Amino acid sequence: MTIKERVHSVEETGWDSPAVDMDHPDKPATTEKMILLAYEIGREEATKEVSDAYTDLLRKIRERADNCRYHHMARGIVGDTKYIYHPDYAGRVTEEFGDDRADV
């Protein structure tokens, strides 16, 4: 089994797996729990990074539209979207389980 296959295998069985005990943060983490949390924390961090970059890009596009001679038309083309929302942005998994013991 490759690393990629192992990560996706743990992610698919994930939270319901007996090897992933989320109810006891003081108990040392299993390898499966570490893999699952690393995967989820990575998703949250990547989501935040991409979303922040996209938000900045949208801001710059709106600024350029506002500086156009035909700014009303340009603004109509650009639209009012200021960000895209993804539930991983909030970092709930990182916040909830990020401080659990990691002595594998």
Side-chain angles (χ1 to χ4, degrees):
M1 180 178 283
T2 66
I3 291 173
K4 182 178 169 182
E5 291 169 338
R6 178 80 167 115
V7 168
H8 287 294
S9 167
V10 171
E11 190 268 329
E12 285 173 10
T13 57
W15 305 100
D16 298 326
S17 171
V20 179
D21 182 8
M22 296 298 195
D23 296 327
H24 300 94
D26 294 334
K27 192 169 126 182
T30 61
T31 303
E32 287 80 6
K33 182 177 178 180
M34 292 286 292
I35 291 171
L36 181 61
L37 288 177
Y39 175 83
E40 293 293 335
I41 289 168
R43 280 181 53 100
E44 290 176 348
E45 289 176 357
T47 297
K48 190 170 181 77
E49 184 178 326
V50 169
S51 293
D52 289 347
Y54 189 69
T55 298
D56 189 49
L57 176 65
L58 288 173
R59 180 187 54 77
K60 290 175 183 175
I61 289 170
R62 284 192 315 279
E63 284 175 5
R64 285 195 304 270
D66 289 342
N67 291 324
C68 280
R69 179 176 181 176
Y70 300 105
H71 61 274
H72 293 293
M73 183 174 66
R75 202 52 193 237
I77 293 168
V78 169
D80 293 332
T81 303
K82 295 182 180 162
Y83 63 90
I84 47 176
Y85 173 77
H86 191 280
D88 285 345
Y89 189 90
R92 290 184 183 96
V93 171
T94 303
E95 184 179 326
E96 182 71 27
F97 302 107
D99 293 326
D100 286 8
R101 290 190 56 210
D103 304 329
V104 176

